[in-house]
Amino acid sequence: MSSRRWLAASCALVTAAAAVAVATAAHAANPIITSIYTADPAPLVVGNTMYIYAGRDEAPTGTSNFLMREWHVLSSTDANTWVDNGAKANIATFGWAGADAWAGEVEPRNGKYYWYTSINGNGAGWMNIGVAVGDTPLGPFTDAKGGPLISDSTANSSGLNIDPTVFVDDDGQAYMYWGGYWAPRAVKLAANMIDTVGSVVTPQGLTNYWEAPWMFKRNGLYYMMYAANDTSGCVTNSNYACQRYATATNPLGPWTHRGIVLGQVSSTTNHAGIVDFNGQSYLVYHTADAPAGGNFRRSVAVDKLYFNADGTIQQVIPTTGGGTGGGSGTNIAPNATASTSYVSSWESLAAINNGGTPVNSQDRSSLAYGNWPEQGTQWIEYQWPTAQSINKSAVYWFDDNQGIDVPASCQLQYWNGSQYVNVPGQSTCGVAGNVENVITFSQVNTTRLRLNITSRTGLSTGVLEWKAFQS
């Protein structure tokens, strides 16, 4: 395993200007920081602190391009309360660069911290890979090389030289992967961490690769997570991306595709890293979920991540709102078996826990559950093989503007060992359309959770996604 973390990833824009580093704290919720917009996170654990290196989105509302001029460092000692330590590098850090401070990642070695970045140089070509160095995780950082590490003039470089991820193996050999436009590339790095060794290679087996690689090693197996934009179970529209992953027994591959770590999120770009902190694995990624956010005004989120006994990764379902971010709540619905009192033959019960992220209540892109023509009270239910501790749920209602509408009311119940009873202390069971309705209640330990749904007169009901959060 790398001395600094487990994994990392990709993409955004920037202009010059040094920023005053004012530490701003934010508490448990996704996104973890809302005082500014942050994107392309790369986590790093040093001692008892998790750091997240992220670009800053500064695009005004209504613009349709990235504006990124600096990189910030976020930190936490509990993966729950986060501090923005301010801008620790910017375009002016690199005298040879002029714009576009995109994704970067920090790798420690030899008592130094090397910050690999995506940045637009002033010379020929477009994006380059630069490297800065600092004595601490918070810098100060200075240009370590005086020019690009990788540029368009590098033999066999990517179609877009962005999104570096650097990994130091157990034998001390360092590797860098990078690249966009379906063109992953890899090269060995010298011990000084600022020169390449040998030829740039094109790794094989990274199925549907688009950008944003993140490499790590676990139990002797190499992992590569990356953004993909295919519609083969990944995203509903190729303008978006998911996070796929592959494994290999050699750091340069060939790679074998294993599955999806993170599905489509609210932003078109999807950039993530994985890190092990205080005995728990975390996925760090970005979305457009902050107030007034968007595709060019993104924000970093953190959720717990779990490995199966065979080394495969369980897909992470993004959480939002107070108490669900920072790893303080995990959606366990995808691990449950779903059942229902009734589902229409043309609809799908699988929709309720398949990880879809609806755009609105009419969004069928990840399927929909509906119970037309049934009226009155119907139910959907989750069952787990072992008891789960649950204290929160969230439901996104389906409304087809025909016979299915948002319900008149709803009620959560749990199985107490002999019968279904109402969960204690339940907050309002919201019935609003076009939003995720969050329901909190006192913790229950149960193998079954049921959502009773009562329709409006003359109508039926439906659900696009139903989450259950482990406390």
Side-chain angles (χ1 to χ4, degrees):
M1 182 181 297
S2 165
S3 60
R4 66 150 229 242
R5 49 85 163 122
W6 281 15
L7 311 95
S10 154
C11 188
L13 295 169
V14 176
T15 73
V20 178
V22 178
T24 303
H27 209 61
N30 273 333
I32 60 171
I33 294 286
T34 57
S35 54
I36 61 172
Y37 296 105
T38 51
D40 306 324
L44 166 66
V45 171
V46 179
N48 68 346
T49 302
M50 186 198 302
Y51 297 92
I52 296 176
Y53 298 84
R56 179 184 179 184
D57 275 342
E58 299 184 69
T61 304
T63 57
S64 58
N65 207 342
F66 298 105
L67 175 59
M68 303 178 74
R69 298 178 289 195
E70 61 191 26
W71 294 273
H72 280 236
V73 184
L74 315 179
S75 63
S76 176
T77 57
D78 60 6
N80 186 48
T81 302
W82 291 89
V83 172
D84 175 11
N85 296 280
K88 297 301 179 182
N90 56 51
I91 292 171
T93 301
F94 302 93
W96 48 270
D100 302 345
W102 288 6
E105 178 195 321
V106 172
E107 179 73 22
R109 192 170 191 186
N110 304 325
K112 303 285 187 181
Y113 295 84
Y114 294 89
W115 198 337
Y116 299 84
T117 63
S118 311
I119 196 163
N120 191 349
N122 285 318
W126 186 17
M127 297 302 293
N128 305 279
I129 306 296
V131 55
V133 64
D135 292 329
T136 75
L138 294 177
F141 289 91
T142 58
D143 188 356
K145 192 174 178 64
L149 175 62
I150 299 291
S151 69
D152 285 350
S153 63
T154 302
N156 195 36
S157 64
S158 173
L160 183 60
N161 293 305
I162 58 171
D163 303 347
T165 180
V166 174
F167 166 79
V168 179
D169 207 350
D170 301 329
D171 61 2
Q173 179 60 60
Y175 300 85
M176 183 172 74
Y177 277 73
W178 77 96
Y181 289 166
W182 308 284
R185 296 293 186 265
V187 72
K188 292 182 178 179
L189 295 179
N192 66 9
M193 301 298 280
I194 64 172
D195 291 313
T196 61
V197 176
S199 301
V200 172
V201 300
T202 302
Q204 302 299 308
L206 298 179
T207 303
N208 298 121
Y209 176 95
W210 167 245
E211 62 183 11
W214 177 272
M215 185 178 180
F216 67 105
K217 188 178 184 180
R218 181 178 184 270
N219 295 335
L221 189 65
Y222 299 93
Y223 288 73
M224 184 68 69
M225 182 173 61
Y226 55 92
N229 68 344
D230 63 282
T231 55
S232 302
C234 170
V235 293
T236 59
N237 182 312
S238 60
N239 290 323
Y240 287 80
C242 72
Q243 287 285 327
R244 292 189 177 276
Y245 79 105
T247 59
T249 55
N250 184 289
L252 291 176
W255 297 91
T256 300
H257 178 257
R258 304 300 296 274
I260 294 175
V261 180
L262 179 68
Q264 181 175 315
V265 295
S266 52
S267 58
T268 50
T269 55
N270 194 324
H271 195 126
I274 297 172
V275 72
D276 192 37
F277 182 55
N278 290 341
Q280 173 66 52
S281 300
Y282 291 92
L283 181 75
V284 182
Y285 59 101
H286 69 226
T287 69
D289 291 340
N295 293 328
F296 309 102
R297 297 158 65 85
R298 300 159 297 175
S299 293
V300 171
V302 177
D303 277 311
K304 289 180 180 178
L305 176 142
Y306 295 92
F307 288 83
N308 297 312
D310 62 0
T312 55
I313 301 174
Q314 295 182 21
Q315 184 171 336
V316 173
I317 306 302
T319 63
T320 58
T324 60
S328 59
T330 299
N331 178 24
I332 57 173
N335 303 324
T337 299
S339 58
T340 183
S341 55
Y342 184 83
V343 59
S344 308
S345 60
W346 58 89
E347 306 290 12
S348 173
L349 178 61
I352 68 173
N353 63 342
N354 67 0
T357 54
V359 174
N360 54 50
S361 287
Q362 291 75 49
D363 182 6
R364 289 176 173 269
S365 60
S366 294
L367 304 178
Y369 159 82
N371 50 46
W372 173 264
E374 300 301 307
Q375 298 179 28
T377 299
Q378 300 296 320
W379 54 261
I380 53 177
E381 176 185 316
Y382 286 145
Q383 183 168 352
W384 294 270
T386 58
Q388 307 292 314
S389 297
I390 308 170
N391 67 355
K392 183 182 297 184
S393 181
V395 59
Y396 206 113
W397 302 110
F398 173 43
D399 176 2
D400 68 357
N401 287 323
Q402 298 180 61
I404 293 177
D405 201 350
V406 296
S409 64
C410 53
Q411 172 68 52
L412 272 175
Q413 294 187 315
Y414 75 103
W415 183 256
N416 68 3
S418 59
Q419 62 181 338
Y420 273 104
V421 296
N422 294 343
V423 296
Q426 176 179 305
S427 64
T428 300
C429 190
V431 294
N434 304 316
V435 296
E436 186 175 75
N437 294 269
V438 177
I439 311 158
T440 60
F441 47 92
S442 300
Q443 178 180 305
V444 297
N445 295 297
T446 186
T447 57
R448 300 187 218 171
L449 192 68
R450 176 175 285 189
L451 180 62
N452 293 315
I453 311 166
T454 302
S455 67
R456 299 173 187 269
T457 303
L459 296 165
S460 298
T461 54
V463 172
L464 294 177
E465 192 72 19
W466 178 36
K467 300 177 182 178
F469 293 100
Q470 187 177 58
S471 56

